[in-house]
Amino acid sequence: MNPSDILTPPHWPSRFLRWYCHPDYLEDIEGDLIERFETDLAIKGPKVARWNYTKDVFRLFRPGIIRPLSGNNQLNHYGMFKNYIKVGVRNILRQKAFSVINIAGLAIGIACCLLILLYVNDELSYDRYNKNFDRIYRILHTYRSAENPGSLPPPSPEDFQVWGSAPVGPALQADFPEIESYFRFTSPSQLLFQYGSKRFQEDNMVFADSTAFQIFSWNLISGNPKTALKEPNSIVLTLSTAMKYFGYDDPMGKTITIDQTETFVVTGVMGDVPSNTHFTFDGLISMTTFHNWRPEIFDSWGYVDFYTYFLLKENSRIESLEGKIPDFIEHNGPDWYKTDNTIAFEPLSSAYLHSKASRQPGTTGSYTNIYIFSFIAGFILLIACINFMNLSTARSMERAKEIGVRKAIGAQRHSLIVQFLLESIMLTMLAALLALILVAFVLPFTRELSGKALYFSDLLSWPFIALFTGSVIFVGLIAGSYPAWVLARFKSSQVLKGRLKSSSGGISLRKALVVFQFALSMSLIVGTAVVFSQLKHLHTLDMGFTKDQMLVIDFGWDSKVQEQIASIKTELGKHPKVSMVSTSRAVPGAFLPDAGTRIESASGEMTMHNPGIYEIDQDFIPTYEIELIAGRAFSDDFPSDTTQALLINEAAAKLYGYTNAEDVIGKKFTQWGREGTVVGVVKDFNYKSLHSKVEPLSIRYAPTGALRRFSLKVAPEGMVTTLADLEQLWSQLVPHRPFIYSFLDDSFNRQYDADIRFGQIFTVFSSLAILIACLGLFGLTTYTTALKTKEIGIRKVLGASLFSIVTLLSKDYIKLFLIAVLIGIPVSWFAMNSWLDNFAYKMEIGPGVFIVAASICLLIALSTISWQSVHSALRNPVDSLKDE
């Protein structure tokens, strides 16, 4: 350091003082500081003097001394902001109509966004309640046939299924030290539960390994999580199931009789499975029970009835396991390996939204729907912001004189921008408060509509509150940015001389925004029409079988019913309203297994595939009116049909290489221990959802113990009386079992509940988006009509008709509408075709959909515009011309 620098004040504090200090005070303050520095230098030395000088510079950094940022006399802008708020409130109250339209539009837009946010958040939260969420995986399986192992291409995601065999889990844990534990559960079992006088058929009970509570974070209210499912004949009930049987009594240690033969001990009570999980159940039965019943299947790689999950050890990578899969399969299941079967691992995070595998243990979601609803939320909010910008810029002429006067007396451009942005944020805050009230009011209806557990409390977390507040301010800034920029650019000289006119840029922007609103509104109308047309198409499509007036009675494989199937069928068929009765394992729309089936090829070789399997009696085909295209159906005239005959559908015939159905008749088959010949081919019928094409199906005569349902074709007249009669008859024939029935068309159509719910939600939010667009259009029309009040009066005095005046006010919007139609047609066509790709059987989007949508959109727009236009045209011209 230069010695002379020690005797002078430090440089950087001096520079800082000169930067912030008001010019009027700088000379005096700096002189005083230098005098004090020299005194400290002489008495206390240079180090203390320099330190005191620096402290004094920073102590003086306060509002009374700091130079003004923009020519004001002080940094404290409290008075200025107070004035901005006053002016903003006055403008809001003065322009009540525009304020109500803006606040209502923004409120509806924000409310829609919040509701959709709750829906999307619920969809994205599936299975995340598990503390080991990131370490849980499940095993996927493929079952493909190949003459030579490895000859088939790698399986696609659609080739896998979640349903698999029992030995996979134990074998994986034995071979892979990275696996901490595994958990298996079966497909839901239908069991007759009885406790005292209470008797119900439970359709969602699963057999599960004792590691259930080790892998999944289910809340076990009573019982030991490590031992609750260890012993045979032990059962853990969900809270709602336990309440059904035991009320408020403690169920622990009590026994429940199942199927009138087995007694089970309640060893645990768990909270109901959270709604945001990809599979649910009403109770867990120990897997050791199932093992005691059927021990042979726990060593069979070919028996499929299990879903297997495993927990990866911490710091282990799933990639290290995936590379060992071929060796694992060859070592554990060589026969399985020869058929080109394999496994894969899927993280729990992909189970609900991303999985393409079949045979899911529960419902799956749709990322496409999440994108669609998110876009709708964004569009709704964007429309609300567009309305705000349109109305604000359109009203700019009304505030021109205010801006001119304020600029003339010294107002800076940036202060005007701040004022208008502050007014925009105030409107947005009011809209946000109203939106929260709307959400609280409509949330119960939204829960019913969406079928999801959505609660207002989900919006009360601190992260969400911070995000919501920030988003509201951001929306206010975005919505008010362009109007503020336009208004602040007004020149005071032109404004005060009355020469200011709307800029061509502002008019062009408003027109562009109106076109955008029209195009979006039309696209949403097209989307709504396509969704409901597709759903109608699904309901009216020829399924290939009769499902109307088909009553299905479920007896859950009851052994006592199995023993007297023939006599029960006879008695049910005697009812005058019942024309036909059949029995089967499955019915269309219900779950059915796959069966490894070999059928003789044209070259004489036995080809292996895994078609679905229906097990039926001889009356099933005629009862459901399924058409035969080759051969014959099962018949009592051929006793060997019960053990040596097989029917297949057209898809199965093609799978085995027969394009001509007649050629497969008489070919040999082997299936599940049964051998014989193919005796008939049925026409393809949609026994599964129309989301997929008809899959290969084999149909065989049901063996003893394989039947579960009666199908009754009943007359539609007097249905209530018919059901009462059948229930009474059932209580006489099967007194130990409840009368559980459903109509096939209802149960089959439940496969489309998610699609119907999607259509309803889509329609509601589309309608709200159109409503917001109409609000903006109404406000804009009101303003433009007000600007032409005197012109309308003059035209009426000169003899103009009502029609010509309405046309004058509407023609510009009609032109914009036509442009919007040209934009909306290709956009909506592309978007809805992408949605229709989820269906194997989809409607064709013809020009009629766009014509109807355009007509509806035009009608809505004209109704909105004409309301104000007709009102202005009907006014007495004297009222509009007498003021100046």
Side-chain angles (χ1 to χ4, degrees), residues 199 560-561 564 567-568 571-572 574-575 723-739:
R199 185 177 59 194
K560 293 183 178 180
V561 176
Q564 47 183 338
S567 61
I568 295 175
E571 293 300 319
L572 292 174
K574 290 179 180 179
H575 192 282
L723 289 174
D725 293 344
L726 291 174
E727 183 173 10
Q728 183 178 4
L729 179 60
W730 182 264
S731 65
Q732 297 171 5
L733 298 172
V734 192
H736 66 282
R737 192 160 201 97
F739 182 65

Side-chain angles (χ1 to χ4, degrees), residues 138-144 153-163 325 329 336 340-346 355-360 594:
R138 63 180 184 178
I139 302 173
L140 306 182
H141 310 254
T142 60
Y143 298 95
R144 304 186 301 168
S156 66
E158 292 79 6
D159 290 330
F160 286 93
Q161 67 178 42
V162 191
W163 211 31
I325 289 177
I329 294 174
W336 207 46
D340 235 12
N341 294 335
T342 188
I343 62 172
F345 306 132
E346 184 174 67
S355 182
K356 296 182 179 180
S358 61
R359 299 290 186 176
Q360 295 282 346
D594 295 333

